[in-house]
Amino acid sequence: MFNMHLLYLADSNAIDSLRTFVSDQKIHPILVNFTAALVPVSVGADIIARIVKKQSLRATAWWTLFVAACITPFTAIAGWLFWMKDDIGVTGMTIHKWLGTSLAIVIVALLLWRWVVYKKDRWPSLIYLFSGILVVAALVYQGHLGGNQSFGSMDSSSSETSHDSPSDQHASGASAPTSMPGMKMPGTD
């Protein structure tokens, strides 16, 4: 089954083939879960380790951030390849695209900072922990933007999404929102 998917990559236009592979296999929606889980675990483990003085939590923080920093650049690349034509002009998705790219860089920088602390066998500083909290907050906002585009916004008066026509389907197979405050959806005036 996987060998059949490698045929995408053997096509004459490698970028289009890779884009098709990433979209068909839902690579970006899969990878985002690693970053969304590992970075908060790392920051949380460092905060708790500092409070209770547990070396094992410091190690947990280092290794979870290490894995997140290895995966996150691929998540950002997959996000760019997953980018749909109907996402063009959607303010939230433009922010999502650039915030995700920035976060991939920031998480690698945070890893380098954490590596220096880890190698010196020190406790992370309060400035590092505060920076980590800011990165987690940015990740939450990033996930909110991506989730709104993929799954739609929920109508407060109903448990149903405000859209369900097949033309509103995002490449992920989930419905795209038809209206969101501050966002212009393609094909609307």
Side-chain angles (χ1 to χ4, degrees):
M1 181 172 162
F2 188 72
N3 289 339
M4 301 241 340
H5 297 298
L6 292 178
L7 293 176
Y8 287 128
L9 302 176
D11 193 63
S12 61
N13 189 341
I15 296 296
D16 285 340
S17 297
L18 190 57
R19 180 173 284 129
T20 301
F21 176 76
V22 165
S23 293
D24 287 353
Q25 300 307 310
K26 315 291 188 274
I27 302 299
H28 180 70
I30 292 168
L31 292 178
V32 296
N33 294 294
F34 290 98
T35 303
L38 293 169
V39 173
V41 166
S42 175
V43 173
D46 262 335
I47 291 169
I48 294 169
R50 188 174 172 97
I51 293 168
V52 300
K53 304 292 186 211
K54 290 285 264 183
Q55 183 65 27
S56 61
L57 287 172
R58 274 179 40 191
T60 298
W62 158 250
W63 287 108
T64 53
L65 187 60
F66 176 81
V67 174
C70 291
I71 292 171
T72 302
F74 293 106
T75 305
I77 291 167
W80 279 83
L81 292 170
F82 196 64
W83 188 258
M84 301 287 105
K85 289 179 184 170
D86 63 343
D87 292 335
I88 295 171
V90 179
T91 304
M93 287 310 291
T94 301
I95 294 168
H96 181 76
K97 174 175 66 172
W98 290 106
L99 179 59
T101 302
S102 300
L103 281 169
I105 294 166
V106 168
I107 289 170
V108 170
L110 197 65
L111 174 74
L112 295 174
W113 186 1
R114 186 65 180 82
W115 180 72
V116 169
V117 172
Y118 185 73
K119 283 298 192 184
K120 291 181 178 179
D121 198 28
R122 292 185 174 171
W123 297 98
S125 68
L126 292 177
I127 295 170
Y128 172 86
L129 296 175
F130 181 72
S131 298
I133 290 169
L134 288 177
V135 169
V136 170
L139 280 172
V140 168
Y141 182 63
Q142 173 74 348
H144 170 74
L145 292 172
N148 274 346
Q149 184 64 14
S150 294
F151 304 113
S153 58
M154 297 298 282
D155 184 317
S156 60
S157 64
S158 157
S159 64
E160 306 270 341
T161 57
S162 60
H163 53 276
D164 53 16
S165 91
S167 64
D168 291 337
Q169 292 291 311
H170 187 273
S172 66
S175 298
T178 55
S179 65
M180 290 179 59
M183 293 187 179
K184 181 182 180 312
M185 297 305 294
T188 62
D189 292 296

